[in-house]
Amino acid sequence: MTDVLKPRDAKEVEDAVRWAIGHEKALELAGHGSKRAIGRPSQTDVTLDLSGLSGVTLYEPEELVLSAKAGTPLAEIEALLDKNNQILAFEPMDYGPLLGGGAGEGTIGGAIAVNLSGPRRIKAGAARDHFLGVAAVTGRGDSIKSGGRVVKNVTGYDLCKLMAGSWGTLAAMTDITIKVLPKAETEATVLVSGLDDAHAAQTMAAAMGSPFDVSAAAHLPDHVVSWFDGLPNAEAATLLRVDGFAPSVMHRKEALAALLKPFGPVAVLDAKDSQTLWRGVREVRPFAVGAARERPLWRISAPPRRGHEIANLITPAAQMFYDWAGGLIWVAMPVPDEPDAGSIRKAVAQVGGHASLIRAPASVRAAVDVFEPEAPGVAALSKRVKESFDPKSVLNPGRMWAGV
Amino acid sequence: MQTGFSLAQLLDPQTAESERILRACVHCGFCTATCPTYVLLGDELDSPRGRIYLIKEMLEQAKPATREVVKHIDRCLSCLSCMTTCPSGVHYMHLVDHARDQIEKTYKRPMADRAIRALLARVLTDPAKFRFAVTMGLIARPFAPLLNAIGLKRMAAMLKLTPRRKPAPPIERTGKVHPANGERRGRVALLSGCINPVLAPSTDEAAIRVLNRHGIEVVVAAGEACCGSLVHHMGREAEALAFARNNIDAWTREIDGEGLDAILMTVSGCGVTIKDYGFMLRGDAAYAEKAARVAALAKDVSEYVGGLAILPLRDVRGLTVAYHSACSLQHGQNVTREPKELLANAGFIVKDVPEGHLCCGSAGTYNILEPVLAKGLQARKVANIEGVTPDIIAAGNIGCITQIGAGTSIPIVHTIELIDWATGGPVPEPLAQLAAQRAA
Amino acid sequence: MTLRMPDVDGEVLARRARIVSALRTIVPGEGVIDQAREMRAFESDGLTAYRQIPMVVVLPQTTQQVSQVLSFCYTEGIKVVPRGAGTSLSGGALPLADGVLLGMAKFNRIREIDFDNRVAVVEPGVTNLAVSEAVAHAGFYYAPDPSSQIACTIGGNVAENSGGVHCLKYGMTTNNVLGCEVVLMNGEVLRLGGKHLDAQGYDLLGVLIGSEGLLGVVTEVTVRILKKAEMQRAVLIGFSTSEDAGACVSAIIGAGIIPGGMEMMDKPAIHAVEEFVHAGYPLDVEALLIVEVDGPRAEVDYLIERVEAIAKTCNAVSCQVSTSEEQRLLFWAGRKAAFPAVGRISPDYFCTDGTIPRAKLPQVLAAMKKMSEKYGLRVANVFHAGDGNLHPLILYDANNPGELDKVEEFGSEILRLCVEVGGVLTGEHGVGVEKRDLMPVMFSEVDLDAQQRVKCAFDEKGLLNPGKVFPKLHRCAELGRMHISGGKLPFPDIPRF
């Protein structure tokens, strides 16, 4: 009995899923397997390796659309887009280093399946906002399609939204169509030094409420700044990025710097330093290197203005930094096997939002809720949705919640 | 919109006109957004689009109006905000006027309803009767809450609108000519009307002073009387047309006599109707042409004065005026800029009122006949006005002034009285305190 | 009306009186309307070609009432059709003869404005424009701006995933909503999302938006609000062919410029609006492009110059740049008046809505000209050039017998063509009843069944807005089954690869 199936095309994916249904096997869906270690530990029999479905099938830069097979490496797509001065506007995170792998791994299917959205989310939207069309094999062995190759499309239910962020539990995507956007000519980052978390939240709110079109907003408390390259000093750094056409960036960075002066000492970083810095944010650098790799890592999504309150509600030994103007918080707990889920859940209940245990040993992830437990009504609905796609629990069973 | 009138029905000119109006409606629903009753109630039946539907059905079926249809048509303020909003040019005003006429002809109202309407039709169309009613009202005013409690809400509403002071003593105003100061540059008629002489004679006196001051002779035509607006809005069409003909005759005598450059109104509610005289009497061979001529000469006082070069004499700088744009001016006559420009040129700081397109709830007799909705709109309007913290409120319609005045302590005066003050006239009485503070 | 709707449940109609009085105990006062003459006002939405008086109209005011009404209908097996402002152009709010028409327009309060988190929490009956107006004093606005924004409600926007001129740059409703409170058909009240920026588990909010009132009734919405751009300027460009116009759009995007809005009008549309609005549109061009650039001042001036330069390289025959806010508004006045202007030259018009890959526009326009001759009906085109969303306006007279049927055929043919060239049936107006029977043109049975199963997860009795979007109704039990024989599912042995 093989424990890896590697289909060569969409038809073979369908065959594989049907086989699994027929023989009551549970499948683990994997592109490059770069995010294998996220979620509740695998309760599957066989791995469905989708990396064989690779290759860009359509790319029309002036139509802002690209289609590719789901197993196409993200790096390949990003390189192609870059050649044409375009980007994936949702600036996908890179969890590779975080999870003990290399940087630049992962497939486009994986990125969409986990709604992998980075700093630019606050301006340009999340991965799910750029996901236009899909062909996939459901847990019933049905090959379906939804959406299309055009942005304006309200024909039928938006199944793309359901599949994005579903962690491969609803369907095995075989073909993906996404919206792509122009790459900015240049960028700059305005930096305010020495702010505590609460003042940083206020500063970021002011920047986001300005007409200067901020494309990323993050706050690095002083206990994490040493991990980032390109910072002028060892104080806490609140970062606001502006990008676009050169003349525009030139004016806006100065205007933004002037606006933020009342909040603290301001510096402006040029394109090169800015890019380095934000790469570090995308890789969750402080918790992706050295001893920090052993620490349980939470990803908290909260109302941006209130994110900073989380710090006061959990152990002071936790380390953290903020993205999405305070709406995304990476929290590393001090003790390797102790995620301290109780305090995190309580904090999130008070502030609003949800928390996911992105990294922890498998034994911990088996014992603790990895994804935020949903309210009973929503949980029941999620279960029914799962069953509508995958009644036999063939696809990544239990990856998100027990019994789903 | 698809219509289902028979050819026989379309032989009637009024029905044909309404069919034309109905066909223009594409049911887009934009009108619902700016309709005061829809904004308050969220019920399609209390929106222009819904009312158009009800009217269409009533006219097509040629059956008597029902209680439900009457309820929703009665709730229409005739503010005409919908007409300003409608992208398709639906003439809602003519349609609802036809509907009201039809209702009065085919629907038997409950006795209390008939009684109060008859009372209003009699009292509000004649200054002498109105003066008497106000005097009586002053005496009965303290009983308003009691009346409200026992369910006589409309009587209570009427009493609450009675001003707290005695009405002005009766003076014969018609047939008077007020010569210009110095060289005469123009000649206009001024409608004295039914309500102003009793509640606010200062308004017309101010208008006359402003006009005289700028070289315009003013005549209050002999034989003029009510413009017919209120009874027209109640669907009492025969009475309305009789009033119209009377005034047309009075003004025609002046036009054919010494001549008139314009016929002015200080009550914008009257202005809408007088400008519509041509349409209302289009089927009357004897009056059609005269009516059209009178309608073409009709102007709101702010429109006309705005065309004169006014000379501000008094320093009124620093006084903030919230300009309340009466529905009958902004929607009914499309007069929006002129009063504000007048005030600004006179030196006042002019502020717009948020949700300025929404009615204050006065709407003729609406604040008596539909007291609950009127109160809701009054509260909303007052809150919006007070939110801009003005020193003074200016408006071009006695109905609005009474309605808003009853809900706020900020002084409210007619626009023309402010212009009079700014160009050398006396300080309007509600502003006496304010002016004293400035002098000190 | 040639439209087939689900079979009327005579059993429910027989109980009508009892149902109405039960509803009156849940929603007292004027909130229950049951007389045909009054219900008639609710018989259609913006698509007046289709009309149906409902069994009863209910206008609730609280989430509690909505929950109780739905729960009651669920127990009694009564269908429910939700309605916002009734401005839908696809018949999404068309009532059912045996159903409750649930009007949400009384939910008209803005509950909270949170500038710190840049969101507003509003009731579903609040109009789209009212949201922007409520935050305008602080220099904010709500980005999705359908042309009916003065009247259409946020709840309706959620149901249809509404777009608008500015959705090219700022996204559609689904990209601008962070949370909602929704009542399921069985009366259950759920909260999805909130002020935080991504979904907790499955993106249930994402599938709810655009579900056209089939998955739940929304009773509260949390929307994103954005800071208004410092400046907006527009360029009005005329072309002698639609190919040139299309090429210009491609060139602008190819240069890395994403305008705030990019709209195109064809000659018939230009003539119709110019006669009524006098915006100064050139009358001798085949296609007119309005490109709006918004953003920080420095950026706008720079980009306007670049757009102007690009226009010249694309054979523009006229090019005007707005130099003031008044002029910019004037450029837009014509485009915004397109529908009503067309309404003035024709007793009625039918607005269709398909999306095509932009490069296919000249081909589609040429084909439509031929169709116009074939059907003997004039057509004017308004096109969201930036994202390929096309609005052909077919002019007709409803009082002419048989004309409506021709219009429907013409519309269907256009939409089939859209799908044929790689586009979709509807860009922003929704499927509703209008395009329901064309769904098989885009989706296979298997595709449609998968969507239906999602519906079953939300509403297994199929009582919420049946007869819309999907041409066939299935019983959920039937759809849920997987065919088993001999204890094993008949699927192949281990695949040989």
Side-chain angles (χ1 to χ4, degrees):
Chain A
M1 179 68 75
T2 50
D3 50 13
V4 178
L5 288 173
K6 190 166 172 175
R8 288 164 298 193
D9 59 30
K11 180 71 180 64
E12 291 188 351
V13 172
E14 187 187 278
D15 291 340
V17 173
R18 291 181 169 212
W19 166 81
I21 296 169
H23 295 263
E24 299 185 333
K25 299 288 180 196
L27 295 175
E28 178 203 32
L29 265 51
H32 290 171
S34 61
K35 294 173 237 347
R36 179 171 266 143
I38 305 179
R40 299 176 73 253
S42 168
Q43 299 146 47
T44 54
D45 306 301
V46 175
T47 298
L48 187 64
D49 178 348
L50 296 165
S51 61
L53 275 73
S54 180
V56 171
T57 54
L58 171 94
Y59 178 35
E60 294 176 11
E62 349 64 64
E63 298 278 339
L64 301 177
V65 67
L66 179 145
S67 297
K69 297 189 197 163
T72 311
L74 204 54
E76 182 183 316
I77 291 178
E78 286 178 318
L80 175 62
L81 291 174
D82 193 61
K83 258 210 317 245
N84 288 273
N85 282 318
Q86 292 193 321
I87 51 165
L88 294 174
F90 53 93
E91 196 171 18
M93 301 291 289
D94 190 342
Y95 287 167
L98 195 63
L99 301 169
E105 288 175 3
T107 61
I108 182 69
I112 299 290
V114 312
N115 196 21
L116 199 62
S117 313
R120 193 184 295 277
R121 186 260 175 273
I122 52 170
K123 171 177 165 175
R128 52 89 93 182
D129 293 309
H130 299 267
F131 185 22
L132 303 181
V134 69
V137 179
T138 68
R140 293 170 170 269
D142 290 330
S143 291
I144 62 164
K145 64 181 185 307
S146 178
R149 50 156 288 173
V150 292
V151 173
K152 293 288 281 294
N153 182 5
V154 291
T155 324
Y157 297 137
D158 196 348
L159 297 187
C160 287
K161 295 289 182 302
L162 257 190
M163 291 203 207
S166 64
W167 291 81
T169 57
L170 298 178
M173 296 189 278
T174 58
D175 296 87
I176 301 223
T177 303
I178 47 174
K179 178 178 174 184
V180 295
L181 285 177
K183 180 171 78 168
E185 200 173 54
T186 186
E187 70 182 73
T189 294
V190 174
L191 186 158
V192 185
S193 298
L195 296 177
D196 63 38
D197 294 2
H199 284 102
Q202 199 185 9
T203 306
M204 290 190 286
M208 292 304 297
S210 79
F212 306 127
D213 224 7
V214 169
S215 75
H219 173 63
L220 312 174
D222 53 17
H223 61 261
V224 302
V225 287
S226 54
W227 275 277
F228 289 90
D229 304 318
L231 290 173
N233 56 42
E235 293 184 81
T238 308
L239 316 169
L240 294 314
R241 181 178 67 188
V242 289
D243 55 25
F245 293 96
S248 171
V249 171
M250 190 143 69
H251 276 99
R252 280 151 60 212
K253 71 184 182 193
E254 299 306 329
L256 186 59
L259 177 76
L260 299 181
K261 241 208 188 102
F263 293 93
V266 173
V268 178
L269 305 178
D270 68 12
K272 197 159 147 298
D273 285 339
S274 173
Q275 276 162 10
T276 310
L277 206 47
W278 289 100
R279 199 171 306 124
V281 171
R282 282 178 64 201
E283 289 175 7
V284 196
R285 179 79 54 72
F287 309 128
V289 292
R293 280 180 170 190
E294 304 308 310
R295 305 233 209 87
L297 183 65
W298 290 93
R299 177 188 181 279
I300 302 180
S301 176
R305 194 65 180 79
R306 297 197 63 185
H308 67 95
E309 294 174 31
I310 300 273
N312 297 333
L313 298 169
I314 57 177
T315 167
Q319 296 195 317
M320 64 194 62
F321 74 94
Y322 304 84
D323 194 359
W324 293 358
L328 178 61
I329 312 146
W330 295 98
V331 178
M333 294 312 234
V335 180
D337 284 349
E338 283 174 26
D340 202 0
S343 73
I344 293 278
R345 298 280 174 227
K346 250 178 74 185
V348 161
Q350 199 173 317
V351 167
H354 56 91
S356 320
L357 183 58
I358 287 293
R359 182 184 65 198
S363 53
V364 172
R365 286 184 282 123
V368 153
D369 284 315
V370 168
F371 288 87
E372 184 83 27
E374 297 180 310
V378 179
L381 178 58
S382 298
K383 191 148 193 281
R384 293 195 297 273
V385 169
K386 163 73 171 177
E387 275 162 8
S388 76
F389 278 90
D390 182 18
K392 295 267 154 198
S393 274
V394 163
L395 304 175
N396 280 349
R399 183 77 181 267
M400 295 179 81
W401 308 282
V404 177
Chain B
M1 218 162 41
Q2 193 175 28
T3 56
F5 290 95
S6 70
L7 286 172
Q9 283 177 307
L10 294 176
L11 288 175
D12 166 43
Q14 199 179 23
T15 305
E17 177 66 30
S18 289
E19 199 252 3
R20 258 191 300 277
I21 297 170
L22 288 166
R23 293 236 64 202
C25 173
V26 295
H27 210 68
C28 70
F30 281 28
C31 54
T32 66
T34 50
C35 171
T37 55
Y38 185 78
V39 166
L40 284 186
L41 300 173
D43 182 342
E44 177 78 15
L45 291 163
D46 286 312
S47 76
R49 185 175 56 170
R51 292 187 180 111
I52 287 172
Y53 233 74
L54 290 172
I55 295 170
K56 173 175 169 305
E57 220 195 332
M58 175 174 74
L59 296 178
E60 276 174 351
Q61 310 240 323
K63 285 210 212 111
T66 63
R67 192 184 58 183
E68 289 76 33
V69 171
V70 173
K71 174 172 83 176
H72 295 296
I73 303 297
D74 279 354
R75 281 195 187 151
C76 171
L77 294 134
S78 269
C79 71
L80 309 179
S81 186
C82 52
M83 286 186 67
T84 301
T85 307
C86 177
S88 304
V90 174
H91 206 302
Y92 178 84
M93 180 172 96
H94 287 160
L95 188 67
V96 77
D97 286 346
H98 181 189
R100 292 206 171 102
D101 179 27
Q102 187 77 356
I103 287 169
E104 285 311 298
K105 288 198 174 98
T106 64
Y107 177 71
K108 195 171 164 93
R109 291 181 178 274
M111 196 165 71
D113 200 9
R114 275 182 286 145
I116 196 163
R117 280 163 185 269
L119 180 66
L120 293 173
R122 194 139 309 150
V123 165
L124 294 177
T125 55
D126 178 330
K129 295 202 185 80
F130 184 52
R131 178 170 293 108
F132 178 73
V134 167
T135 312
M136 290 294 108
L138 273 173
I139 300 168
R141 202 181 205 290
F143 294 100
L146 178 62
L147 289 172
N148 201 26
I150 62 173
L152 288 175
K153 295 201 186 299
R154 290 165 162 184
M155 293 293 306
M158 217 163 30
L159 286 177
K160 277 198 257 185
L161 283 167
T162 317
R164 292 180 191 279
R165 296 164 323 177
K166 279 183 55 153
I171 305 173
E172 185 48 60
R173 296 168 194 275
T174 62
K176 282 250 179 78
V177 175
H178 305 270
N181 299 359
E183 183 199 330
R184 189 178 92 172
R185 296 202 194 100
R187 189 173 192 269
V188 301
L190 181 70
L191 173 70
S192 176
C194 315
I195 312 298
N196 272 359
V198 178
L199 292 186
S202 56
T203 299
D204 288 349
E205 285 158 13
I208 291 169
R209 279 194 297 270
V210 172
L211 291 161
N212 289 160
R213 199 175 288 135
H214 293 84
I216 309 295
E217 178 175 291
V218 182
V219 59
V220 181
E224 82 140 54
C226 179
C227 68
S229 186
L230 288 176
V231 286
H232 177 57
H233 290 317
M234 285 199 267
R236 299 162 85 101
E237 214 43 29
E239 292 171 44
L241 293 180
F243 280 124
R245 291 189 189 96
N246 176 69
N247 275 0
I248 290 167
D249 286 337
W251 288 322
T252 302
R253 284 192 289 274
E254 286 296 331
I255 294 167
D256 292 341
E258 280 249 19
L260 288 176
D261 296 317
I263 301 168
L264 303 187
M265 281 108 244
T266 51
V267 178
S268 60
C270 306
V272 183
T273 303
I274 295 169
K275 287 184 180 180
D276 204 38
Y277 275 176
F279 180 84
M280 285 163 71
L281 286 163
R282 68 200 185 283
D284 181 335
Y287 275 87
E289 209 182 301
K290 288 189 279 185
R293 189 167 62 156
V294 160
L297 285 173
K299 279 197 164 39
D300 183 78
V301 64
S302 65
E303 283 182 280
Y304 187 79
V305 172
L308 310 169
I310 63 159
L311 321 148
L313 273 182
R314 219 177 293 278
D315 182 6
V316 294
R317 279 174 305 163
L319 278 177
T320 310
V321 177
Y323 173 67
H324 165 74
S325 191
C327 299
S328 38
L329 260 183
Q330 61 168 315
H331 303 307
Q333 300 181 55
N334 280 317
V335 173
T336 48
R337 294 175 300 109
E338 294 87 330
K340 292 195 285 183
E341 280 168 6
L342 260 184
L343 290 166
N345 290 340
F348 295 99
I349 301 167
V350 181
K351 283 210 182 144
D352 284 321
V353 176
E355 293 192 316
H357 60 281
L358 285 182
C359 186
C360 65
S362 171
T365 50
Y366 195 89
N367 49 6
I368 296 168
L369 295 173
E370 297 283 342
V372 175
L373 286 171
K375 201 168 168 75
L377 291 172
Q378 178 195 48
R380 195 164 175 141
K381 179 61 68 177
V382 167
N384 276 319
I385 291 175
E386 290 182 345
V388 299
T389 56
D391 297 312
I392 309 167
I393 308 165
N397 190 28
I398 184 67
C400 309
I401 292 171
T402 310
Q403 173 81 342
I404 296 170
T408 181
S409 53
I410 303 173
I412 177 167
V413 288
H414 195 289
T415 308
I416 200 65
E417 292 189 50
L418 290 177
I419 303 303
D420 178 42
W421 182 37
T423 56
V427 60
E429 206 257 299
L431 303 184
Q433 231 185 1
L434 207 60
Q437 280 168 1
R438 276 175 68 81
Chain C
M1 196 165 86
T2 56
L3 194 64
R4 270 203 64 227
M5 292 302 278
D7 290 333
V8 167
D9 189 337
E11 221 261 306
V12 164
L13 282 181
R15 287 184 277 135
R16 185 177 181 268
R18 215 173 42 77
I19 291 169
V20 169
S21 63
L23 290 170
R24 281 200 204 281
T25 64
I26 303 172
V27 182
E30 292 189 346
V32 173
I33 302 164
D34 70 326
Q35 297 302 303
R37 186 163 282 208
E38 289 190 292
M39 290 198 289
R40 174 146 279 154
F42 296 87
E43 73 179 1
S44 94
D45 52 26
L47 185 65
T48 52
Y50 305 115
R51 303 180 287 276
Q52 172 64 60
I53 297 181
M55 177 175 70
V56 59
V57 173
V58 179
L59 306 177
Q61 291 186 278
T62 65
T63 303
Q64 166 96 313
Q65 285 175 345
V66 173
S67 173
Q68 286 176 323
V69 169
L70 290 184
S71 175
F72 171 74
C73 290
Y74 178 80
T75 313
E76 300 278 323
I78 303 167
K79 305 175 184 108
V80 175
V81 175
R83 173 186 169 112
T87 54
S88 161
L89 292 172
S90 55
L94 178 66
L96 292 166
D98 58 344
V100 168
L101 194 289
L102 191 71
M104 298 298 288
K106 285 185 186 280
F107 280 73
N108 59 9
R109 288 186 319 114
I110 293 177
R111 291 187 175 169
E112 185 194 347
I113 300 175
D114 181 351
F115 290 112
D116 274 342
N117 284 303
R118 295 169 299 286
V119 296
V121 182
V122 307
E123 294 183 351
V126 172
T127 66
N128 177 294
L129 189 61
V131 179
S132 288
E133 286 178 340
V135 297
H137 65 277
F140 281 78
Y141 75 116
Y142 175 61
D145 56 348
S147 308
S148 56
Q149 64 175 159
I150 190 179
C152 65
T153 61
I154 292 293
N157 289 170
V158 165
E160 305 292 333
N161 192 14
S162 306
V165 166
H166 287 88
C167 73
L168 169 65
K169 187 171 176 190
Y170 296 103
M172 299 156 74
T173 302
T174 190
N175 313 113
N176 286 280
V177 169
L178 293 179
C180 79
E181 177 188 76
V182 61
V183 184
L184 299 185
M185 185 61 221
N186 65 358
E188 234 184 301
V189 180
L190 305 179
R191 282 215 156 259
L192 303 176
K195 296 184 181 182
H196 49 282
L197 298 173
D198 61 4
Q200 184 167 335
Y202 290 146
D203 195 349
L204 299 169
L205 180 62
V207 77
L208 182 69
I209 298 174
S211 62
E212 305 200 31
L214 270 74
L215 298 184
V217 177
V218 165
T219 47
E220 186 191 90
V221 187
T222 301
V223 303
R224 291 174 66 208
I225 51 176
L226 305 177
K227 187 73 175 184
K228 268 195 260 203
E230 251 190 345
M231 183 183 237
Q232 295 166 290
R233 287 179 68 193
V235 196
L236 195 67
I237 316 171
F239 299 88
S240 52
T241 65
S242 62
E243 279 86 353
D244 285 340
C248 185
V249 174
S250 296
I252 291 171
I253 302 223
I257 302 170
I258 302 292
M262 235 183 344
E263 298 286 305
M264 207 189 287
M265 298 166 68
D266 69 0
K267 203 171 198 175
I270 297 166
H271 280 237
V273 307
E274 187 55 24
E275 201 182 310
F276 288 102
V277 180
H278 309 295
Y281 286 179
L283 292 174
D284 55 345
V285 299
E286 282 300 318
L288 191 66
L289 193 64
I290 310 174
V291 180
E292 175 158 298
V293 177
D294 68 355
R297 193 172 303 263
E299 179 164 310
V300 171
D301 289 336
Y302 172 70
L303 289 180
I304 285 283
E305 272 178 34
R306 291 199 57 182
V307 168
E308 228 188 332
I310 291 170
K312 291 200 172 76
T313 68
C314 291
N315 305 325
V317 300
S318 72
C319 184
Q320 267 188 290
V321 176
S322 72
T323 50
S324 70
E325 180 64 4
E326 284 75 43
Q327 200 181 19
R328 181 186 76 87
L329 290 173
L330 189 60
F331 284 176
W332 280 110
R335 163 64 183 89
K336 285 189 189 269
F339 290 22
V342 151
R344 290 188 200 221
I345 64 174
S346 172
D348 300 279
Y349 67 87
F350 191 79
C351 175
T352 37
D353 161 61
T355 310
I356 54 175
R358 207 183 327 99
K360 304 286 178 177
L361 181 64
Q363 172 189 353
V364 171
L365 286 180
M368 275 201 284
K369 229 185 229 147
K370 287 212 184 72
M371 286 183 223
S372 167
E373 283 159 20
K374 174 169 115 183
Y375 289 101
L377 295 169
R378 292 175 293 171
V379 64
N381 278 289
V382 162
F383 185 51
H384 296 297
D387 46 39
N389 188 202
L390 184 63
H391 290 306
L393 299 158
I394 304 172
L395 311 185
Y396 73 107
D397 184 340
N399 276 11
N400 285 352
E403 196 133 302
L404 185 57
D405 291 330
K406 269 205 292 181
V407 170
E408 285 174 10
E409 263 184 68
F410 190 172
S412 294
E413 209 177 311
I414 294 174
L415 294 178
R416 279 176 208 276
L417 177 62
C418 289
V419 177
E420 218 178 279
V421 301
V424 299
L425 291 177
T426 172
E428 56 187 3
H429 292 176
V431 175
V433 291
E434 191 207 354
K435 306 169 191 92
R436 182 193 68 194
D437 297 334
L438 291 170
M439 286 291 269
V441 172
M442 248 187 86
F443 296 112
S444 68
E445 285 274 347
V446 175
D447 294 331
L448 291 175
D449 285 351
Q451 295 191 41
Q452 288 273 59
R453 287 195 196 95
V454 171
K455 159 78 163 169
C456 292
F458 281 81
D459 170 22
E460 94 275 7
K461 285 196 186 177
L463 291 172
L464 201 51
N465 223 0
K468 311 281 167 59
V469 187
F470 298 99
K472 269 206 263 198
L473 295 174
H474 292 288
R475 297 250 195 90
C476 287
E478 174 192 311
L479 275 179
R481 254 191 298 259
M482 288 191 74
H483 301 278
I484 302 179
S485 59
K488 270 230 158 120
L489 292 158
F491 286 136
D493 226 347
I494 184 165
R496 276 173 278 284
F497 52 75

